[in-house]
Amino acid sequence: MAAAQAVEEMRTRVVLGEFGVRNVHTTDFPGNYSGYDDAWDQDRFEKNFRVDIVHMDENTLEFDMVGIDAAIANAFRRILLAEVPTMAVEKVLVYNNTSIVQDEILAHRLGLIPILADPRLFEYRNQGEEEGTEIDTLQFRLQVRCTRNPNAAKDSSDPNELYVNHKVYTRHMTWVPLGNQADVFPEGTIRPVHDDILIAQLRPGQEIDLIMHCVKGIGKDHAKFSPVATASYRLLPDITLLEPVEGEAAEELSRCFSPGVIEVQEVQGKKLARVANARLDTFSREIFRNEKLKKAVRLARVRDHYIFSVESTGVLPPDVLVSEAIKILMGKCRRFLDELDAVQMD
């Protein structure tokens, strides 16, 4: 019985100890365990696999992906970071820049501004093409000149009162339609995601005048094309109390974990600790600093239960980004199968 439990723990849990982590490698491959059929079975995979949406708002999405291997989870994360395309500033034509920000630094800052434009409606620009077209390029104009405010108080020292247009924001970027873009995209739909991103600061007489060309690209080529601010996953925590923890020890135990993980209940006049919500724990392993309680708890993570957190830059909703990542992963699988078929035919 004990041996069977040890095998099951090895197969399904990553155990966190005081000085190390156990069972970090996948071991459930065919023939490794006597009495277990670990051969790939599509019906079993479809039965065990599921995706649960935990939280979703305008820019963030948290969901559980259960029943997959770490390789698939990590491939999905990397696709979100580096292979879902967006539109970003690629070329900056500077006509006049008398600010203290050098042209190269200014161009770099402009490239990192997220552009609200659906990349699925555009094509990739062909390699070597200098001039863009309405199907592969968006054009913006930025023209701001700082002047003194003639109505400012004489004794004022506030730049916001003394100067006009002394701060250049993304709201100053104006979309210049190319070809038939004005007919395809309603006015106001193509713009920076946020209109209050500070680009540069000016003083009277200084001016920025430039044209920006935005193209379609992926984060693998440059981080400015990445559609997510963060895309990460963690394994579901699994916290088990190996013995009853009562009295003041229960209060002490609850303080060793993140708020909401351990709940202290009154049972027959005694304080008794129980695991309320292990999902909230960050696994600081603070419990192992407590000599009295460290043997009363087992810390582990469920091997095939991944908690994904996706935060969009605002270019596309997070649920759309996830669906696009799935399509890209499916395309990779199809190409791999086609290559296998081609090799077998040869």
Side-chain angles (χ1 to χ4, degrees):
M1 185 65 178
Q5 289 179 347
V7 170
E8 188 63 22
E9 179 184 280
M10 193 181 303
R11 288 166 53 84
T12 63
R13 296 293 186 270
V14 177
V15 181
L16 284 78
E18 183 176 3
F19 300 108
V21 183
R22 303 198 313 272
N23 309 336
V24 294
H25 301 294
T26 300
T27 57
D28 55 348
F29 48 85
N32 193 45
Y33 294 105
S34 176
Y36 288 91
D37 180 17
D38 288 321
W40 165 256
D41 182 85
Q42 184 170 343
D43 293 335
R44 185 170 58 203
F45 172 78
E46 292 178 357
K47 180 181 178 181
N48 295 331
F49 178 74
R50 74 176 194 270
V51 176
D52 301 325
I53 305 297
V54 177
H55 169 78
M56 183 172 68
D57 56 31
E58 185 179 1
N59 290 320
T60 61
L61 173 64
E62 182 179 327
F63 64 94
D64 292 359
M65 191 175 286
V66 185
I68 58 172
D69 190 72
I72 303 299
N74 198 46
F76 186 70
R77 180 190 67 86
R78 289 173 65 94
I79 289 172
L80 275 170
L81 287 169
E83 296 190 54
V84 177
T86 64
M87 303 293 289
V89 175
E90 176 71 10
K91 183 179 291 185
V92 179
L93 308 176
V94 181
Y95 297 117
N96 191 12
N97 175 25
T98 54
S99 72
I100 62 170
V101 183
Q102 297 94 332
D103 293 352
E104 295 83 357
I105 304 300
L106 182 60
H108 184 264
R109 289 179 64 83
L110 293 170
L112 295 176
I113 294 172
I115 304 298
L116 187 61
D118 193 335
R120 296 170 294 182
L121 304 177
F122 295 88
E123 302 292 336
Y124 289 100
R125 183 185 286 190
N126 293 328
Q127 194 74 21
E129 281 190 3
E130 292 294 329
E131 297 297 327
T133 64
E134 65 269 17
I135 65 171
D136 60 24
T137 303
L138 288 171
Q139 182 170 291
F140 286 88
R141 180 74 182 265
L142 180 62
Q143 188 174 19
V144 181
R145 181 179 179 84
C146 179
T147 58
R148 293 187 180 276
N149 181 9
N151 300 319
K154 292 184 178 180
D155 58 346
S156 175
S157 60
D158 183 5
N160 294 315
E161 186 178 351
L162 290 172
Y163 311 128
V164 178
N165 290 334
H166 77 289
K167 290 185 177 181
V168 183
Y169 289 102
T170 46
R171 69 173 70 100
H172 295 116
M173 294 171 56
T174 305
W175 174 47
V176 181
L178 299 176
N180 66 342
Q181 287 181 348
D183 301 324
V184 177
F185 305 105
E187 185 177 354
T189 56
I190 304 297
R191 57 179 177 81
V193 172
H194 307 286
D195 62 3
D196 58 351
I197 298 176
L198 183 64
I199 298 174
Q201 294 194 52
L202 305 177
R203 286 298 179 262
Q206 294 182 344
E207 180 182 7
I208 292 178
D209 184 7
L210 51 84
I211 293 286
M212 291 163 277
H213 289 174
C214 303
V215 301
K216 184 176 180 178
I218 58 177
K220 187 185 295 185
D221 296 330
H222 195 287
K224 66 185 177 183
F225 292 113
S226 181
V228 294
T230 59
S232 61
Y233 64 79
R234 60 190 178 99
L235 291 173
L236 178 71
D238 178 36
I239 300 173
T240 306
L241 297 182
L242 303 178
E243 59 187 53
V245 181
E246 302 175 344
E248 290 303 317
E251 296 284 357
E252 195 173 349
L253 180 69
S254 68
R255 291 193 293 268
C256 292
F257 293 88
S258 302
V261 175
I262 301 295
E263 182 182 54
V264 180
Q265 296 179 323
E266 287 280 347
V267 179
Q268 298 179 353
K270 291 184 179 180
K271 292 181 179 180
L272 184 66
R274 77 172 189 91
V275 179
N277 190 353
R279 184 190 185 94
L280 300 176
D281 196 39
T282 58
F283 275 0
S284 64
R285 293 194 273 188
E286 177 72 16
I287 186 65
F288 292 123
R289 300 179 63 186
N290 191 309
E291 291 294 331
K292 295 183 297 182
L293 296 174
K294 66 180 181 180
K295 293 183 180 180
V297 182
R298 188 198 70 164
L299 302 184
R301 290 187 182 271
V302 182
R303 183 184 294 279
D304 65 346
H305 190 134
Y306 295 86
I307 302 173
F308 272 87
S309 297
V310 179
E311 181 182 348
S312 170
T313 59
V315 174
L316 288 172
D319 56 323
V320 175
L321 293 178
V322 170
S323 64
E324 290 299 305
I326 293 173
K327 292 176 185 177
I328 293 172
L329 183 58
M330 291 171 63
K332 288 174 174 286
C333 295
R334 291 194 190 98
R335 287 195 298 273
F336 180 66
L337 292 174
D338 291 342
E339 290 180 7
L340 286 178
D341 292 339
V343 170
Q344 290 174 358
M345 290 177 63
D346 293 343

